[in-house]
Structures are given as structure tokens and as C-alpha cells.
Amino acid sequence: MADQVTLKDTYKETRIFRVRFAVAGLALVALLGVLVARYSDLQINDYEIYRTASDRNRVQLLPVPPKRGLMFDRNGVLLAENVPSYSLTLVVERVDDLDAVLDTLGELVDISPEDVDKFRQRLSRRRPYQPVPLKFRLSEEEIATLAVNRHRLPGVDVDAQLVRHYPHGELFAHALGYVGRINEREQAEIDPINYSGTEHIGKIGLEKYYEDELHGRVGSENVETNARGRVLRVLERTDPSPGKDLVLNLDLRVQQAAFDALGAERGAVVAIDPRDGGVLALVSTPSFDANLFVNGISSADYSALRDNVDLPLFNRALQGQYPPGSTVKPFYALAGLYYGTVTEESRVYDPGWYQLPNDERLYRDWKKGGHGTWVRLNQSIVESCDVYYYDLAFRLGIDRLSEFTARFGMGVETGIDNTNERPGLLPSRAWKRANRNQAWFPGETLSAGIGQGYVLATPLQLAHATAMLANRGVGFVPRLLRTLGEVPQAPERNAPVSDVDEAHWRAVIQAMEDTVHTRRGTGNRIGRDAPYRIGGKTGTAQVVGIAQDAEYDASQLIKRQWDHALFVAFAPVDNPRIAVAVIVENGEHGSSVAAPVARKVMDAWLLREGEAG
């Protein structure tokens, strides 16, 4: 019988099955162990991490921008306020297709290509999940349209915010300045935390000078959001600290009077209270509407301002540097008395011209034929005799003229609390050598003696110097700010001109009073019916050169080549409460053009109802 073949080994199969089952069981236990360990790690060890990550999907920390401080004039009239405005914003992290959303929004509301360009510029400067404005000042109809379509616009919202507004438009533009959108350079300089949520910053003027005080401190709030990023509720809030309000020395009535008096002319007016240096009016014309800059001025509007030949953006009161003309003669007369070069009775022969020794050139007086055979100090100021000051300047020398006038704040910045002030220029021998690498010539001293040549001054400097003269050498740093928050600002004194004899002060001030209140005075037009006594000085600044043998004839020149008209004044003479400087570009006559402007400004301050604070 053949060997029997075993077809099935039950024992072996059972053994193999048991081994495989054991291995599979062990593998399953191992996998379950790994799963349990990982689950335990997630739920216990990493619990806080994932809970925070989860909260971030529904809870966000949002900045709460502070309310910008307001500005008021000295009588409580609102000059800069914050008004509600609605803006269309996008959170790009919640937008799937930005270009498609922009196209959709363009179909719903009026969005210009310029709006889109500026929006893309802002994207590069924003923080994650920060709403980026696309369009400002939405109308009620646009807000309603966006609300109806809100369900299909994830990441799009309408934000309500306070934006700056200047109720008086162009009247205070050069004094207050304006705020504007934060640009890339400013973004790199500011505190990113304190300015989170803030879109605007002071650009020029008081808005920029007092930016830290006006801005305040940012707050925050934790908010719960849904999957679309909509805020459901506020979980926690830290209130922001609002910016401080500014009460200014500016007076609306005086500012308006100055602005109206200049009218369509190009010029500037600065009025100062000599008692504390408070700036009552600071006007430059033509002006501009500061509201145009708040949310970004359009290219068309900016081009119109930038390319305007009358330069409305130029602050003539602080930046305009003009030859002061004869308005410096009272200071030079005081210098002559101070140094003992002249006395009140010193006489100068005036045939209508002055000639340097060994020089053929004739330096002519503005009055053909002169002011009489002999001219003394009082008459030299009252009638503005050029020949007297040619002689005085030559005898004093340019260095002493500059040194003495500098004591009244000329040739340097006054330190006013504003931006972009320019220093003017008081020339000297050392200045010319350093800046022109040339020697000083005697003829240049004569030109400086009548406020021409290299001599330059801003209207602010002239008002400040006149206030010091009215106060017999006591002066204060000009200040626009009167009260910061609830804290009054103490006046800051200049170094006084205290070593001038009282008799010398009296002689010069009396001559300035006679300039306005006597028949032969160059400023007598405004003094005839004045209910208070005024001390003043007219001035004319040459714009184009006149040949030696030629005569000035305005009819042969275009208006922009006419002389500038200037006037400085203070009143009342015995107790000065206002000092004014006026320049009218190409106004030609200080007596008939600039002086009436000053009179209207002084009337607005001195003849007002009640007593200004």
C-alpha cells in the first residue's frame, strides 16, 4: 500500500493562526496605545495651546482708537472738531478673491480707480486682520446698498469713525494746519501700538506741533466673531484715553477781520498781545480749505493748489521772508540813540539823495526833493526819511545795526508753537564772508539802513519785534496755545532789552505815535478818527531793481513787480494790548494799503463788546 499523503496539517495551521493573531493583537494594542498617548498629549499637555488657537478663530483683540482733541479759540468757539463718517473697509484675510470683491463693490457703489490705488498702497502698511479703508464718506444710499448685499461680501464692512473737520474752512488753515492719512514714512516713525486703528496724523501747523497731546492713547477690546469675521459681542474692553483739547490765543473776530481786510490780495497779518505774547491772529492769503486734505486730497484738487501762481499753500506769515523796508527805521533810530551815534536833536542834511565819500552814486530818498533842509530823529520816523537812515546806517555800521536789531528777535526763529517757521536774515560782514565769500561794501550798509538789500524778515518777526518795542524791551515768545486740557500755559519771556534809556524809548515811541496822529505822518490816514492812540510805521519793499538814473513808475510794470506794502503798529500807546504786522504783496503803498488793514484788526480787538480773556 502506497504511503499515505497528508493533505492538511491542522496543528500547524492552528499554531500559525495563533502567532498571527498574537502579532495582530499586539500591533492593535500598540496602535491603541499610541492613539491614547497622542490623545492624552493633545487633551492634557497641549490643551492651552489649542484652546488659544481655537479662541483666535472666534475671539480677536481689536484696537480702539482715541478721540482726537478739539481746538477752540480764546472765547470757546470751535475751530477743529471730529464728525462721524462712514467708510467702506476690507479685511483681506477674510476675502477669498480680492479682485473679484473689488469688482463687485465697484458695481454697488461709486469707487474710482484712485480709490483702488490708494487702497492697495494702504495694504502694504497694515497689520494682519486690520480693516483697510477703500472709500470714505459713504452716503446713506451707499450704506443701505452695502447692507443689503452684505451676505455675499465676506470681509467687507462699513465702519463708523470720527474724522477731523474744520468748520471755518480756509480761515484758520495756515494756523491750525490739518491732519491727513498716515503715509509710509510716518508709519515707520510712529508708535505702531498707540496708532493701531488710527488712520490720521497731524501734517502741518498746530495739528502736527501738538500731535502727541491731541492724539491720546489707544484702547482695546476683545470681541467674539463668527466664521465670517462679524463681531458678535464684546468680551472685554479697555477704554482709550482721549486727546487733550487745545484752547488757543487766536480770536475768531480778529482773525476774520484780518482775513476780510486782506480780501483778494496776497499777503499776511500777524497780531500779538504784547502783554503775554499770545497770537491773536495769524492770516496768510490766499488760503485753502484744510478739509480737502483730511481723507486724502484728490489729484485734481492738489494740482490746482500746487500749480496756483498765488501759492495758497504757502504760509506767508511764518515762511514769507520779505525786505522789511522802512518798518525797521524805529529800531535803527533806537540803535543810534543807544550807541550814542545820534541824539534826538541830531540833524541830517536832506537834498533828496545821499552820497558816500568818493562815490559818484546817489542813494535817493523816496521823496523827490527831500524832506527839508535839515531832518531830526522825530521827523525821520514820521515822514520816513531815507536820507537820515542812509547816514545813520553808514555811521553805525552793518554789524552794530544787526546786533542791536537781533535783540528784538529779528534774524532768528521766534520759537512760535507751529511748524516750518523761517528765520529771516540779518546780514553782517561775517555772514557775507561765510555765505558769499565776499567782502562787505559800504553801499550794502546803506541799503540795509532802509530795510532793503540782504535784510529779510517774516511778518511774525515784525509783529514780535513791534510788541517788544511797544513794551519798552519786554517780550514774550509768540504762542498760539493758551490752555492745554485744563492747564493754562504760562507765557515764556524773551531776553529783555533792558539797557536802553527811558528817554530813548519815549523818543522813538512818540515818533511812531506822531506817524499816525499828525498831519505829516505817513500813517495819518488811519489815525484821523481813531478812538485810541496808535504807534505805527509804514514801509515799502522794492521788488525789482531801478536803474541809477531811472524813476519808479508802477504804470510801466506788471502788478507782480510793484513794491510790497508794509505796516507795523501797536495800540493803545500808553498801555499796548495789540501789536500788528501787515504785508500786502505788490500793494505798493504801506500808508494806503497795509495801514487800513492793521486798523481793522486793531478795531476788532480793542473795540469789541466786553473784555477778551
Side-chain angles (χ1 to χ4, degrees), residues 287-302:
S287 187
F288 61 95
D289 185 356
N291 293 301
L292 293 173
F293 288 86
V294 173
N295 282 320
I297 188 170
S298 69
S299 297
D301 287 339
Y302 183 71

Side-chain angles (χ1 to χ4, degrees), residues 356 451 480 540:
L356 287 168
L480 289 160
T540 302

Side-chain angles (χ1 to χ4, degrees), residues 294-514:
V294 173
N295 282 320
I297 188 170
S298 69
S299 297
D301 287 339
Y302 183 71
S303 295
L305 292 173
R306 180 197 60 201
D307 300 334
N308 190 323
V309 68
D310 290 329
L311 304 177
L313 296 176
F314 182 56
N315 187 348
R316 290 168 166 83
L318 302 185
Q319 297 173 277
Q321 300 183 120
Y322 304 93
S326 295
T327 60
V328 296
K329 289 177 179 176
F331 301 95
Y332 290 171
L334 193 62
L337 295 171
Y338 174 78
Y339 289 113
T341 306
V342 297
T343 68
E344 290 183 58
E345 298 303 319
S346 297
R347 302 185 304 171
V348 172
Y349 178 66
D350 179 18
W353 47 266
Y354 183 84
Q355 192 171 20
L356 287 168
N358 303 316
D359 187 353
E360 295 181 356
R361 178 176 177 178
L362 300 181
Y363 294 84
R364 300 187 182 279
D365 196 291
W366 69 268
K367 185 176 182 181
K368 190 174 183 180
H371 296 264
T373 305
W374 296 103
V375 177
R376 293 178 173 81
L377 185 139
N378 181 276
Q379 184 185 357
S380 75
I381 294 175
V382 171
E383 299 183 20
S384 197
C385 175
D386 291 339
V387 169
Y388 186 95
Y389 289 94
Y390 290 143
D391 182 73
L392 177 59
F394 179 69
R395 295 168 65 188
L396 278 171
I398 188 60
D399 291 334
R400 288 202 293 183
L401 279 179
S402 295
E403 289 170 4
F404 187 81
T405 314
R407 300 177 67 183
F408 291 86
M410 303 286 280
V412 294
E413 296 177 5
T414 66
I416 189 173
D417 47 346
N418 211 296
T419 57
N420 301 322
E421 181 188 6
R422 300 178 74 179
L425 176 61
L426 282 182
S428 64
R429 295 176 185 276
W431 169 85
K432 191 179 180 188
R433 178 63 68 185
N435 291 273
R436 304 294 176 91
N437 195 29
Q438 295 176 353
W440 186 267
F441 299 107
E444 294 171 330
T445 302
L446 270 56
S447 294
I450 59 168
Q452 297 278 172
Y454 294 116
V455 183
L456 297 173
T458 67
L460 174 64
Q461 288 175 323
L462 291 176
H464 175 232
T466 302
M468 286 191 70
L469 182 61
N471 268 349
R472 289 169 162 76
V474 176
F476 300 87
V477 176
R479 277 288 175 265
L480 289 160
L481 181 63
R482 185 175 180 84
T483 302
L484 177 61
E486 301 295 328
V487 182
Q489 302 299 291
E492 180 182 349
R493 288 181 177 268
N494 292 123
V497 182
S498 57
D499 53 350
V500 175
D501 290 345
E502 173 58 29
H504 297 162
W505 290 114
R506 187 167 55 248
V508 172
I509 290 174
Q510 182 62 58
M512 295 181 72
E513 184 177 359
D514 292 344

Side-chain angles (χ1 to χ4, degrees), residues 51 59 78 101 103 180 235 252-253 266 330 346 364 403 448 465 527 529 556:
R51 188 188 72 167
V59 178
L78 189 60
V101 170
D103 291 339
L235 304 177
L252 173 62
R253 291 169 296 185
R266 287 170 286 109
S346 297
R364 300 187 182 279
E403 289 170 4
D529 60 346
Q556 301 300 312

